[in-house]
Amino acid sequence: MIFDDFLVRATLAGVGVALAAAPLGCLVVWRRMAFFGDATAHAAILGVALALLLSTSIFAGVLVVSLLMATIVSLLSGKGYAMDTLLGVMAHSSLALGLVAVSFVSGVRIDLMAYLFGDILAVGKADLAVIWGGAALVMALMGWRWSRLLTATLNADLAHASGIDPQREQLILTLSLAIVVAVALKVVGVLLIAALLIIPAATARTFSRTPEAMVVAAALVGMTAAVGGLQTAYWFDTPTGPTIVSLAAALFALAGVIANARRLLWRVMASRAGRRDASGRA
Amino acid sequence: MSLLSIAALDLALGGHLVLENVHLTLERGEIVTIVGPNGSGKTTLLKSIIGALAPQRGYIDKSPGMVIGYVPQRLHLDATLPMTVSRLMRLPRRRPRHEIETALDRAGVTQQASSQISDLSGGQFQRVLLARALLSSPDLLILDEATQGLDQQGMADFYRQIERVRHELGCAVLMVSHELHVVMRASDRVVCLNRSICCAGTPERVAASPEYRAMFGLDDEDALALYRHHHSRPSLEMSP
Ligand SMILES: Nc1ncnc2c1ncn2[C@@H]1O[C@H](COP(=O)(O)OP(=O)(O)O)[C@@H](O)[C@H]1O
Ligand SMILES: [Mg+2]
């Protein structure tokens, strides 16, 4: 079986997460929810601690705590605190609390790095099933609600006028975010999950003319980073999660350089054409 | 039955009563304009009609199956969201190409179908939003200061377009405007809103009413002159 090869399992895990993260990451970027994603991801370590303490599945623990976190933040926002302050407080206190809680569980101190930075090379067949199950669920949710999510993202009032409840779409987004966090934990770890959501989407923005094109481009960037990062980490023996994110960041920088070069070229050509016009008239 | 009837509507925002005891009915096919100073609750009233804000008291009765087309006062498109005109027209529901072309044509932006929204001028974007609202063949078209930021020419064109749309689709139009003189010309009925409705009626009646003049600080001559100017000499409406 090809699934017996750990590198194949790791690659499939990375691709699954990249696919689910693409539409969600774009929505997170468009809605300026980057901090929100970060806070949800940071809370995951608390979910890990609870799951270990109660000896339930890590996936379930992370899912529940991330959802809880997202709900609390949603409820507290608009209650007098600025959103970024609130998220800053919540993200780092839940991370700290999670780390403290984990220290009560005997024997996991060694594993902590795996939860903070991921351990994609240790993805087993069961993990792979969970990752692809979660990713498929998120992609199905996104596909089903896409038009409504997009309209609500564009403008809440326009959504209302079209019979769409923006609050419900926000809820679906929150749920998807929690699932992706739970799924991506094994791949990149809590500290870098938000990066996997945001960097591919931000890279894709430069080259996209429609929302859907941006999602496809983000998926391609995400998959390239996952597969390429995995290989790079294997060759150079570097930590896998951070290597994947570093590659994504390099692609982002490259996209920026290309976009600026293109803009510059346009400007030069336009000014040449302008000069030719002027001399032609003279 | 009326297309829309609002009765005894109270609506509070942030603990303050923004709308108080508002009554308003709308018949099919009529153009009604809401005027009122800044912060008088015009946008709030429109938002309560589309269901974005829930009233504390009173009711909003819509005739069954009524379709609303809504053009918001301000629409900020996040720079990170790539969007073409034709994609925006297909949100949230897919539409056949010919319907989209007809709607863009009605709104006077035929050329821009494949443009990026961020490349449009303010006026063009407003028209695209109007086209999008028209796509659903609305029974009621709601426009919140749709001509904000347009020059005189653009404004006059825009209202003429609305008039034409009303004739073609037979829809009622409820709009908010600050351009009193243009409003007077373009509407069947004018409603002055200042938390409650302080006067309403034909443009002539409203222009002559003391409440209206008090609200905008006009003296008698100003108000009537403004109104007559545009009724008797429409050809001069573009002059400053
Ligand atoms: N979200 C909100 N929370 C609290 N007050 C609000 C909110 N939105 C609007 N208001 C207040 O409601 C009043 C009416 O606002 P609005 O309907 O936008 O007025 P208009 O459109 O007539 O200029 C204003 O005093 C405004 O400050
Ligand atoms: Mg307003």
Side-chain angles (χ1 to χ4, degrees):
Chain A
M1 268 293 278
I2 56 160
F3 292 119
D4 290 336
D5 184 346
F6 74 97
L7 215 51
V8 170
R9 288 197 303 269
T11 306
L12 287 174
V15 168
V17 169
L19 282 177
L24 199 60
C26 287
L27 284 165
V28 164
V29 165
W30 297 332
R31 298 167 75 105
R32 312 234 151 194
M33 286 169 63
F35 262 138
F36 188 80
D38 210 28
T40 311
H42 280 36
I45 200 73
L46 193 57
V48 171
L50 289 179
L52 290 174
L53 283 168
L54 302 171
S55 22
T56 56
S57 97
I58 302 263
F59 180 79
V62 168
L63 192 62
V64 168
V65 172
S66 296
L67 262 182
L68 215 61
M69 174 71 173
T71 314
I72 291 173
V73 169
S74 300
L75 290 178
L76 283 181
S77 71
K79 291 253 156 67
Y81 290 104
M83 196 63 173
D84 57 342
T85 307
L86 190 65
L87 288 172
V89 171
M90 297 290 285
H92 298 106
S93 32
S94 62
L95 179 65
L97 202 62
L99 292 174
V100 170
V102 167
S103 76
F104 285 115
V105 190
S106 50
V108 286
R109 201 161 297 214
I110 316 105
D111 281 336
L112 200 57
M113 285 297 274
Y115 296 115
L116 290 177
F117 296 110
D119 193 6
I120 193 172
L121 296 178
V123 166
K125 284 180 194 168
D127 295 323
L128 200 57
V130 168
I131 288 172
W132 271 91
L137 183 60
V138 168
M139 284 187 275
L141 266 175
M142 294 286 113
W144 174 40
R145 310 295 295 190
W146 186 247
S147 266
R148 277 168 280 200
L149 279 165
L150 202 52
T151 310
T153 299
L154 196 68
N155 182 269
D157 296 325
L158 275 190
H160 271 295
S162 304
I164 296 164
D165 179 3
Q167 222 103 40
R168 184 184 308 154
E169 302 312 318
Q170 170 80 40
L171 202 67
I172 289 186
L173 204 60
T174 305
L175 179 67
S176 306
L177 201 59
I179 297 174
V180 164
V181 166
V183 152
L185 180 70
K186 192 88 184 177
V187 175
V188 284
V190 292
L191 294 181
L192 295 175
I193 288 174
L196 213 56
L197 283 169
I198 290 152
I199 300 178
T203 309
R205 172 62 186 99
T206 329
F207 303 103
S208 315
R209 286 181 51 82
T210 64
E212 290 74 19
M214 182 162 152
V215 171
V216 171
L220 289 176
V221 171
M223 285 191 291
T224 308
V227 175
L230 202 57
Q231 293 295 335
T232 312
Y234 192 62
W235 287 329
F236 295 100
D237 194 24
T238 48
T240 320
T243 309
I244 291 175
V245 173
S246 299
L247 187 56
L251 290 174
F252 173 78
L254 187 67
V257 168
I258 291 175
N260 274 312
R262 207 166 47 173
R263 209 167 302 143
L264 201 67
L265 198 67
W266 266 109
R267 209 170 300 153
V268 169
M269 272 162 43
S271 77
R272 282 233 179 106
R275 223 173 305 145
R276 212 171 35 236
D277 270 9
S279 59
R281 264 198 303 276
Chain B
M1 191 193 152
S2 301
L3 186 63
L4 175 81
S5 48
I6 298 174
L9 190 81
D10 285 0
L11 201 151
L13 288 176
H16 295 282
L17 213 51
V18 174
L19 295 174
E20 191 178 358
N21 197 27
V22 170
H23 294 259
L24 179 70
T25 55
L26 245 126
E27 305 301 331
R28 289 185 183 277
E30 70 173 339
I31 299 186
V32 174
T33 301
I34 304 172
V35 298
N38 278 327
S40 58
K42 305 181 296 293
T43 297
T44 306
L45 179 60
L46 298 188
K47 284 189 184 181
S48 71
I49 294 173
I50 60 168
L53 293 172
Q56 265 65 40
R57 198 176 67 91
Y59 65 82
I60 300 172
D61 240 11
K62 299 170 189 171
S63 90
M66 175 175 79
V67 176
I68 295 180
Y70 174 66
V71 179
Q73 177 167 6
R74 242 187 315 269
L75 198 141
H76 169 75
L77 203 67
D78 199 283
T80 60
L81 177 60
M83 185 66 77
T84 59
V85 169
S86 65
R87 182 66 188 98
L88 182 68
M89 297 295 281
R90 290 181 176 85
L91 267 181
R93 274 169 280 278
R94 296 200 143 277
R95 301 279 174 186
R97 178 186 288 268
H98 69 270
E99 279 183 26
I100 291 176
E101 279 166 1
T102 309
L104 287 174
D105 187 43
R106 279 205 175 108
V109 270
T110 328
Q111 303 302 313
Q112 276 74 30
S114 58
S115 300
Q116 199 68 25
I117 296 287
S118 53
D119 293 338
L120 299 181
S121 72
Q124 286 171 332
F125 188 29
Q126 283 295 348
R127 282 159 187 274
V128 167
L129 288 174
L130 173 65
R132 185 187 165 278
L134 293 178
L135 255 187
S136 50
S137 305
D139 303 295
L140 172 60
L141 185 61
I142 297 182
L143 307 167
D144 196 350
E145 301 198 28
T147 54
Q148 203 174 222
L150 296 191
D151 56 16
Q152 288 282 318
Q153 175 71 55
M155 213 185 294
D157 287 350
F158 193 88
Y159 284 114
R160 225 169 300 169
Q161 219 107 36
I162 297 293
E163 176 85 12
R164 199 177 314 142
V165 162
R166 190 257 301 252
H167 273 297
E168 286 175 16
L169 295 181
C171 60
V173 180
L174 179 62
M175 57 185 176
V176 164
S177 184
H178 273 314
E179 293 88 24
L180 299 178
H181 49 290
V182 192
V183 160
M184 296 293 175
R185 217 174 61 84
S187 9
D188 301 321
R189 215 144 53 84
V190 175
V191 172
C192 295
L193 183 71
N194 202 355
R195 205 154 76 128
S196 324
I197 287 175
C198 54
C199 62
T202 59
E204 294 89 335
R205 268 195 47 197
V206 170
S209 79
E211 291 91 346
Y212 168 81
R213 274 177 270 143
M215 198 162 80
F216 289 101
L218 299 171
D219 62 36
D220 306 10
E221 284 310 305
D222 288 342
L224 280 175
L226 210 54
Y227 176 68
R228 287 205 187 106
H229 173 77
H230 288 284
H231 264 255
S232 52
R233 311 209 313 266
S235 59
L236 286 184
E237 72 193 338
M238 250 60 86
S239 63

mmCIF file of all heavy atoms in Angstrom, chain B residues 37-63:
data_model
loop_
_atom_site.group_PDB
_atom_site.id
_atom_site.type_symbol
_atom_site.label_atom_id
_atom_site.label_comp_id
_atom_site.label_asym_id
_atom_site.label_seq_id
_atom_site.Cartn_x
_atom_site.Cartn_y
_atom_site.Cartn_z
ATOM 1 N N PRO B 37 -32.520 65.793 7.844
ATOM 2 C CA PRO B 37 -31.126 66.146 8.141
ATOM 3 C C PRO B 37 -30.277 64.907 8.436
ATOM 4 O O PRO B 37 -30.818 63.820 8.617
ATOM 5 C CB PRO B 37 -31.242 67.036 9.379
ATOM 6 C CG PRO B 37 -32.629 66.932 9.871
ATOM 7 C CD PRO B 37 -33.473 66.315 8.825
ATOM 8 N N ASN B 38 -28.986 65.089 8.491
ATOM 9 C CA ASN B 38 -28.087 63.983 8.847
ATOM 10 C C ASN B 38 -28.448 63.404 10.200
ATOM 11 O O ASN B 38 -28.731 64.146 11.131
ATOM 12 C CB ASN B 38 -26.636 64.472 8.906
ATOM 13 C CG ASN B 38 -26.024 64.511 7.512
ATOM 14 O OD1 ASN B 38 -26.369 63.686 6.669
ATOM 15 N ND2 ASN B 38 -25.160 65.472 7.296
ATOM 16 N N GLY B 39 -28.428 62.097 10.294
ATOM 17 C CA GLY B 39 -28.695 61.456 11.574
ATOM 18 C C GLY B 39 -30.158 61.414 11.947
ATOM 19 O O GLY B 39 -30.507 61.127 13.091
ATOM 20 N N SER B 40 -31.041 61.690 10.987
ATOM 21 C CA SER B 40 -32.464 61.727 11.318
ATOM 22 C C SER B 40 -33.106 60.344 11.246
ATOM 23 O O SER B 40 -34.288 60.201 11.536
ATOM 24 C CB SER B 40 -33.188 62.699 10.389
ATOM 25 O OG SER B 40 -33.008 62.313 9.055
ATOM 26 N N GLY B 41 -32.343 59.333 10.842
ATOM 27 C CA GLY B 41 -32.865 57.966 10.865
ATOM 28 C C GLY B 41 -33.273 57.419 9.507
ATOM 29 O O GLY B 41 -33.920 56.381 9.428
ATOM 30 N N LYS B 42 -32.873 58.096 8.430
ATOM 31 C CA LYS B 42 -33.290 57.664 7.086
ATOM 32 C C LYS B 42 -32.716 56.290 6.746
ATOM 33 O O LYS B 42 -33.436 55.376 6.353
ATOM 34 C CB LYS B 42 -32.833 58.703 6.041
ATOM 35 C CG LYS B 42 -33.326 60.118 6.332
ATOM 36 C CD LYS B 42 -32.878 61.110 5.289
ATOM 37 C CE LYS B 42 -31.381 61.324 5.201
ATOM 38 N NZ LYS B 42 -30.773 61.969 6.383
ATOM 39 N N THR B 43 -31.392 56.155 6.913
ATOM 40 C CA THR B 43 -30.751 54.872 6.624
ATOM 41 C C THR B 43 -31.306 53.775 7.523
ATOM 42 O O THR B 43 -31.567 52.654 7.075
ATOM 43 C CB THR B 43 -29.228 55.000 6.815
ATOM 44 O OG1 THR B 43 -28.733 55.941 5.869
ATOM 45 C CG2 THR B 43 -28.530 53.668 6.604
ATOM 46 N N THR B 44 -31.525 54.131 8.785
ATOM 47 C CA THR B 44 -32.071 53.159 9.740
ATOM 48 C C THR B 44 -33.434 52.645 9.286
ATOM 49 O O THR B 44 -33.709 51.449 9.355
ATOM 50 C CB THR B 44 -32.190 53.818 11.125
ATOM 51 O OG1 THR B 44 -30.925 54.358 11.480
ATOM 52 C CG2 THR B 44 -32.611 52.818 12.177
ATOM 53 N N LEU B 45 -34.259 53.546 8.791
ATOM 54 C CA LEU B 45 -35.585 53.144 8.325
ATOM 55 C C LEU B 45 -35.462 52.163 7.150
ATOM 56 O O LEU B 45 -36.126 51.126 7.117
ATOM 57 C CB LEU B 45 -36.396 54.381 7.921
ATOM 58 C CG LEU B 45 -37.805 54.104 7.393
ATOM 59 C CD1 LEU B 45 -38.643 53.388 8.435
ATOM 60 C CD2 LEU B 45 -38.498 55.394 6.960
ATOM 61 N N LEU B 46 -34.590 52.500 6.200
ATOM 62 C CA LEU B 46 -34.415 51.609 5.042
ATOM 63 C C LEU B 46 -33.883 50.247 5.477
ATOM 64 O O LEU B 46 -34.318 49.206 4.987
ATOM 65 C CB LEU B 46 -33.469 52.237 4.013
ATOM 66 C CG LEU B 46 -33.914 53.557 3.381
ATOM 67 C CD1 LEU B 46 -32.977 53.942 2.248
ATOM 68 C CD2 LEU B 46 -35.342 53.466 2.865
ATOM 69 N N LYS B 47 -32.945 50.259 6.427
ATOM 70 C CA LYS B 47 -32.381 48.986 6.893
ATOM 71 C C LYS B 47 -33.426 48.144 7.607
ATOM 72 O O LYS B 47 -33.370 46.921 7.577
ATOM 73 C CB LYS B 47 -31.186 49.229 7.815
ATOM 74 C CG LYS B 47 -29.931 49.640 7.056
ATOM 75 C CD LYS B 47 -28.735 49.642 7.970
ATOM 76 C CE LYS B 47 -27.500 50.149 7.244
ATOM 77 N NZ LYS B 47 -26.323 50.123 8.119
ATOM 78 N N SER B 48 -34.352 48.797 8.288
ATOM 79 C CA SER B 48 -35.390 48.011 8.954
ATOM 80 C C SER B 48 -36.324 47.403 7.907
ATOM 81 O O SER B 48 -36.844 46.308 8.112
ATOM 82 C CB SER B 48 -36.151 48.867 9.965
ATOM 83 O OG SER B 48 -36.971 49.798 9.301
ATOM 84 N N ILE B 49 -36.491 48.080 6.776
ATOM 85 C CA ILE B 49 -37.369 47.522 5.732
ATOM 86 C C ILE B 49 -36.742 46.280 5.093
ATOM 87 O O ILE B 49 -37.425 45.295 4.831
ATOM 88 C CB ILE B 49 -37.679 48.589 4.652
ATOM 89 C CG1 ILE B 49 -38.515 49.708 5.266
ATOM 90 C CG2 ILE B 49 -38.411 47.959 3.466
ATOM 91 C CD1 ILE B 49 -38.739 50.878 4.343
ATOM 92 N N ILE B 50 -35.433 46.286 4.878
ATOM 93 C CA ILE B 50 -34.802 45.100 4.280
ATOM 94 C C ILE B 50 -34.561 44.003 5.317
ATOM 95 O O ILE B 50 -34.096 42.920 4.973
ATOM 96 C CB ILE B 50 -33.469 45.424 3.570
ATOM 97 C CG1 ILE B 50 -32.455 46.012 4.551
ATOM 98 C CG2 ILE B 50 -33.676 46.353 2.392
ATOM 99 C CD1 ILE B 50 -31.064 46.078 3.991
ATOM 100 N N GLY B 51 -34.851 44.281 6.587
ATOM 101 C CA GLY B 51 -34.727 43.239 7.599
ATOM 102 C C GLY B 51 -33.362 43.173 8.258
ATOM 103 O O GLY B 51 -33.055 42.219 8.953
ATOM 104 N N ALA B 52 -32.533 44.212 8.038
ATOM 105 C CA ALA B 52 -31.204 44.203 8.649
ATOM 106 C C ALA B 52 -31.249 44.702 10.095
ATOM 107 O O ALA B 52 -30.358 44.420 10.874
ATOM 108 C CB ALA B 52 -30.239 45.050 7.828
ATOM 109 N N LEU B 53 -32.285 45.455 10.441
ATOM 110 C CA LEU B 53 -32.446 45.937 11.811
ATOM 111 C C LEU B 53 -33.848 45.586 12.286
ATOM 112 O O LEU B 53 -34.821 45.740 11.550
ATOM 113 C CB LEU B 53 -32.240 47.461 11.880
ATOM 114 C CG LEU B 53 -30.839 47.992 11.587
ATOM 115 C CD1 LEU B 53 -30.866 49.518 11.506
ATOM 116 C CD2 LEU B 53 -29.869 47.535 12.659
ATOM 117 N N ALA B 54 -33.939 45.097 13.505
ATOM 118 C CA ALA B 54 -35.246 44.693 14.032
ATOM 119 C C ALA B 54 -35.828 45.811 14.887
ATOM 120 O O ALA B 54 -35.129 46.358 15.737
ATOM 121 C CB ALA B 54 -35.101 43.426 14.865
ATOM 122 N N PRO B 55 -37.097 46.169 14.646
ATOM 123 C CA PRO B 55 -37.716 47.231 15.440
ATOM 124 C C PRO B 55 -38.061 46.765 16.852
ATOM 125 O O PRO B 55 -38.223 45.578 17.091
ATOM 126 C CB PRO B 55 -38.989 47.547 14.652
ATOM 127 C CG PRO B 55 -39.293 46.305 13.888
ATOM 128 C CD PRO B 55 -37.982 45.638 13.613
ATOM 129 N N GLN B 56 -38.136 47.728 17.766
ATOM 130 C CA GLN B 56 -38.534 47.409 19.134
ATOM 131 C C GLN B 56 -40.056 47.272 19.223
ATOM 132 O O GLN B 56 -40.577 46.544 20.035
ATOM 133 C CB GLN B 56 -38.082 48.531 20.090
ATOM 134 C CG GLN B 56 -36.747 48.287 20.767
ATOM 135 C CD GLN B 56 -35.605 48.264 19.766
ATOM 136 O OE1 GLN B 56 -35.564 49.051 18.840
ATOM 137 N NE2 GLN B 56 -34.675 47.352 19.950
ATOM 138 N N ARG B 57 -40.721 48.046 18.393
ATOM 139 C CA ARG B 57 -42.183 48.079 18.460
ATOM 140 C C ARG B 57 -42.714 48.357 17.058
ATOM 141 O O ARG B 57 -42.000 48.873 16.203
ATOM 142 C CB ARG B 57 -42.616 49.219 19.414
ATOM 143 C CG ARG B 57 -44.044 49.132 19.936
ATOM 144 C CD ARG B 57 -44.290 50.263 20.934
ATOM 145 N NE ARG B 57 -44.269 51.569 20.279
ATOM 146 C CZ ARG B 57 -45.351 52.166 19.784
ATOM 147 N NH1 ARG B 57 -46.524 51.603 19.839
ATOM 148 N NH2 ARG B 57 -45.262 53.355 19.209
ATOM 149 N N GLY B 58 -43.973 48.018 16.836
ATOM 150 C CA GLY B 58 -44.597 48.312 15.564
ATOM 151 C C GLY B 58 -44.373 47.195 14.557
ATOM 152 O O GLY B 58 -43.747 46.196 14.875
ATOM 153 N N TYR B 59 -44.899 47.369 13.353
ATOM 154 C CA TYR B 59 -44.709 46.308 12.372
ATOM 155 C C TYR B 59 -44.389 46.851 10.987
ATOM 156 O O TYR B 59 -44.663 47.992 10.653
ATOM 157 C CB TYR B 59 -45.934 45.384 12.320
ATOM 158 C CG TYR B 59 -47.196 46.027 11.832
ATOM 159 C CD1 TYR B 59 -47.425 46.173 10.463
ATOM 160 C CD2 TYR B 59 -48.157 46.489 12.722
ATOM 161 C CE1 TYR B 59 -48.576 46.767 9.993
ATOM 162 C CE2 TYR B 59 -49.318 47.083 12.261
ATOM 163 C CZ TYR B 59 -49.524 47.216 10.885
ATOM 164 O OH TYR B 59 -50.658 47.809 10.423
ATOM 165 N N ILE B 60 -43.755 45.994 10.209
ATOM 166 C CA ILE B 60 -43.450 46.289 8.810
ATOM 167 C C ILE B 60 -44.123 45.201 7.995
ATOM 168 O O ILE B 60 -43.714 44.044 8.049
ATOM 169 C CB ILE B 60 -41.928 46.266 8.563
ATOM 170 C CG1 ILE B 60 -41.251 47.313 9.450
ATOM 171 C CG2 ILE B 60 -41.619 46.517 7.099
ATOM 172 C CD1 ILE B 60 -39.738 47.241 9.419
ATOM 173 N N ASP B 61 -45.174 45.556 7.297
ATOM 174 C CA ASP B 61 -45.944 44.578 6.535
ATOM 175 C C ASP B 61 -45.559 44.638 5.073
ATOM 176 O O ASP B 61 -45.752 45.663 4.426
ATOM 177 C CB ASP B 61 -47.440 44.904 6.683
ATOM 178 C CG ASP B 61 -48.196 43.755 7.298
ATOM 179 O OD1 ASP B 61 -47.532 42.819 7.794
ATOM 180 O OD2 ASP B 61 -49.440 43.783 7.266
ATOM 181 N N LYS B 62 -45.011 43.532 4.567
ATOM 182 C CA LYS B 62 -44.666 43.502 3.145
ATOM 183 C C LYS B 62 -45.685 42.645 2.425
ATOM 184 O O LYS B 62 -46.107 41.619 2.956
ATOM 185 C CB LYS B 62 -43.274 42.898 2.951
ATOM 186 C CG LYS B 62 -42.187 43.693 3.631
ATOM 187 C CD LYS B 62 -40.875 42.923 3.624
ATOM 188 C CE LYS B 62 -39.866 43.652 4.498
ATOM 189 N NZ LYS B 62 -38.645 42.856 4.721
ATOM 190 N N SER B 63 -46.080 43.063 1.229
ATOM 191 C CA SER B 63 -47.032 42.236 0.497
ATOM 192 C C SER B 63 -46.329 40.926 0.143
ATOM 193 O O SER B 63 -45.141 40.910 -0.177
ATOM 194 C CB SER B 63 -47.528 42.965 -0.752
ATOM 195 O OG SER B 63 -46.710 42.689 -1.842
#
